[in-house]
């Protein structure tokens, strides 16, 4: 089913001239409302441009999966869908793992291959760039820095980044609870490390007894994990100014949706970090967006590349939280597309929430590959195609597609030759990218890191008090009613300010979500 084995149908041929078995498939994609054009139907190695395979725009918030072996065209599929969403006024978020999606900002380059593809798929191709905002985790890269405070990131997501087990994750949750109730703001990693170090110190150990059984040994493990994490250069990802996820929902002046491209090549060797950071973005959006129900078009479509990294070694609680977030965020108008190599990379409970599917070719070189192929075939609706043969014979830029129709029912399985993106299929020049970033309206808000007073500074100041102001020496038994060091510090005048960026007050515990992430007002 490769390009070389197929020829386009004659111009002017109508759906009635399709092979009889292919006609119900073509009819299943004849939508009347706004839709994205994905490509043309393939049948018996022939591409039929008169039979367009499409996905209704209102159904893009019903989530989806883009899967396929390396080199089969998944990245170009993301680019194609992102372009059409932007053109219809829908903001898009793209995780650029390989560093080749920045070209969406510039017009594409024509040529024989593009012209042939356009003729085969019935596409009126024209070179066009789209409005793009370039982002980078913690400023490692060319884009606008995307940072999160430790408080808003929360203990569940941070536990996954640190590689903590279930017991340690629960203990980290207690530490967050303690910091919340004591008014010790956790802005960056040194704040959290300062709180854990205090709780494992001679002065802080009594505090452990009041927060639900946190052992000194477990606190020590968390402290060592934080220290190692910082040593790997991860401190830049946490801090202020924290990125406001509402900035992902903007439109360009011409009404097109803004395409936010998060540059990730610089953190490819830190897969848990970037996959978990993407989950934080989703969780933050989930907190803040109002319910919209079924809308004419999504508020945002979020592409989660290398999705298998998110689910690798994840705890049951973490997977449950992902499943619930994916299930509920649809009603907030946000569509989520997971991009990975095989559907088995995504847990079945999450896979069951995905209504749209673009399956590129699979390889079957080993017994494990054969097993994965058979499992993938079973996840599709009944089809007149021999899917096992089809999925191993698809060429680059071809896919098996099924989506949700305008009434929410699955469409017939359609082998499809996908259209060519109209923007540049490759990265833009780094100097050009840097110039675009400096001209961004977000540059002044996020480019410069800010380090304000938080838990680290407060605990350091408390420990630096003159001896006369410190609690009595250990050899003198303090009265039972004497407050601990942190209680004295929190009760002092210098901690009475309302300094929390998340809108909480001193002594009031932060309201947290499924992931333990903090809610914050816009």
């Amino acid at each position: 089913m490769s390009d070389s084995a197929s020829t386009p149908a004659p111009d002017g041929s109508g759906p009635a001239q399709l092979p009889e078995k292919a006609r119900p498939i073509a009819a299943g994609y004849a939508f009347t409302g706004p839709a994205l054009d994905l490509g043309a139907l393939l049948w018996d190695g022939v591409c039929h441009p008169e039979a367009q395979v499409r996905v209704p725009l209102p159904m893009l918030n019903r989530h989806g999966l883009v899967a396929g072996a390396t080199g089969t065209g998944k990245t170009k599929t993301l680019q194609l869908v992102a372009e059409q969403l932007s053109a219809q006024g829908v903001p898009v978020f793209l995780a650029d793992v390989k560093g080749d999606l920045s070209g969406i900002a510039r017009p594409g380059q024509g040529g024989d291959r593009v012209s042939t593809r356009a003729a085969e798929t019935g596409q009126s191709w024209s070179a066009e760039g789209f409005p793009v905002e370039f982002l980078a985790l913690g400023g490692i890269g060319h884009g606008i820095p995307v940072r999160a405070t430790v408080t808003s990131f929360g203990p569940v997501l941070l536990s996954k980044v640190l590689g903590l087990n279930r017991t340690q994750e629960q203990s980290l949750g207690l530490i967050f609870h303690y910091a919340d109730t004591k008014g010790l703001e956790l802005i960056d990693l040194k704040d959290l490390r300062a709180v854990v170090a205090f709780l494992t110190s001679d002065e802080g150990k009594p505090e452990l007894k009041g927060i639900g059984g946190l052992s000194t040994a477990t606190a020590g493990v968390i402290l060592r994990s934080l220290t190692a994490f910082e040593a790997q250069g991860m401190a830049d990802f946490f801090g202020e100014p924290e990125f406001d996820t509402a900035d992902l929902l903007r439109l360009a002046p011409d009404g097109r949706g803004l395409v936010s491209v998060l540059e990730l090549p610089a953190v490819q060797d830190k897969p848990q970090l970037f996959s978990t950071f993407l989950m934080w973005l989703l969780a933050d959006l989930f907190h803040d967006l109002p319910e919209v129900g079924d809308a004419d078009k999504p508020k945002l479509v979020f592409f989660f590349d290398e999705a298998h990294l998110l689910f690798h070694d994840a705890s049951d609680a973490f997977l449950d939280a992902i499943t619930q977030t994916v299930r509920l965020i649809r009603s907030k108008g946000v569509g989520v597309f997971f991009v990975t190599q095989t559907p088995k990379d995504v847990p079945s409970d999450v896979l069951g929430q995905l209504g749209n599917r673009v399956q590129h070719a699979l390889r079957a070189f080993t017994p494990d590959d054969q097993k994965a192929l058979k499992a993938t075939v079973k996840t599709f609706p009944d089809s007149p195609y021999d899917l096992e043969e089809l999925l191993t014979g698809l060429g680059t830029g071809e896919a098996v597609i099924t989506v949700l129709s305008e009434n929410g029912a699955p469409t017939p399985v359609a082998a499809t030759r996908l259209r060519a993106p109209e923007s540049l299929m490759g990265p833009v020049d780094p100097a050009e990218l840097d110039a675009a970033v400096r001209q961004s309206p977000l540059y002044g808000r996020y480019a410069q890191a800010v380090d304000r007073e938080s838990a680290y500074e407060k605990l350091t100041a408390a420990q630096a008090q003159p001896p006369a102001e410190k609690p009595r020496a250990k050899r003198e038994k303090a009265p039972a009613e004497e407050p601990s060091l942190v209680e004295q510090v929190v009760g002092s005048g210098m901690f009475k300010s309302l300094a929390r960026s998340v809108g909480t007050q001193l002594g009031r515990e932060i309201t947290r979500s499924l992931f333990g992430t903090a809610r914050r007002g816009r």
Side-chain angles (χ1 to χ4, degrees), residues 350-380:
V350 176
L351 202 60
Q353 304 297 318
L354 312 182
N356 304 296
R357 185 159 171 191
V358 179
Q359 176 67 62
H360 288 269
L362 292 173
R363 307 306 180 210
F365 299 131
T366 69
D368 286 344
D369 291 342
Q370 289 282 356
K371 185 177 180 181
L373 174 63
K374 292 181 181 296
T376 299
V377 169
K378 291 179 180 178
T379 63
F380 280 96

Side-chain angles (χ1 to χ4, degrees), residues 411-427:
T411 59
V413 175
T416 307
R417 178 159 297 151
L418 297 164
R419 294 186 170 202
E422 296 184 333
S423 57
L424 181 65
M425 290 186 278

Side-chain angles (χ1 to χ4, degrees), residues 133 143-145 434 437-448:
E133 190 75 73
I144 300 292
D434 286 335
V437 169
R438 286 192 296 271
Q439 294 168 8
S440 166
L442 301 184
Y443 186 80
R445 290 170 53 189
Y446 297 117
Q448 186 62 46

Side-chain angles (χ1 to χ4, degrees), residues 177-219:
H177 168 81
Y178 175 81
D180 290 348
T181 57
K182 296 299 184 181
L184 296 170
E185 296 95 333
L186 303 177
I187 303 300
D188 51 28
L189 290 181
K190 73 177 186 297
D191 289 324
L192 180 57
R193 181 161 44 82
V195 173
V196 179
F198 172 76
L199 290 174
T200 55
S201 69
D202 290 339
E203 292 175 312
K205 285 179 182 177
E207 301 290 333
L208 296 177
K209 299 177 181 178
I211 60 173
L214 173 66
S215 72
T216 304
T218 299

Side-chain angles (χ1 to χ4, degrees), residues 406-490:
E406 291 168 309
N407 62 7
T411 59
V413 175
T416 307
R417 178 159 297 151
L418 297 164
R419 294 186 170 202
E422 296 184 333
S423 57
L424 181 65
M425 290 186 278
V428 299
D429 182 77
E432 186 179 353
L433 198 156
D434 286 335
V437 169
R438 286 192 296 271
Q439 294 168 8
S440 166
L442 301 184
Y443 186 80
R445 290 170 53 189
Y446 297 117
Q448 186 62 46
V450 177
D451 187 12
R452 65 179 176 87
E453 183 184 66
S454 48
Y456 172 80
E457 288 79 12
K458 293 177 179 180
L459 287 172
T460 300
Q463 292 166 356
Q465 290 178 355
E469 296 181 25
K470 288 189 175 184
R472 300 178 184 180
K474 289 193 295 180
R475 67 180 63 186
E476 297 181 28
K477 187 174 181 180
E481 68 275 12
E482 182 175 336
S484 69
L485 171 63
V486 169
E487 290 172 327
Q488 292 180 54
V489 172
V490 172

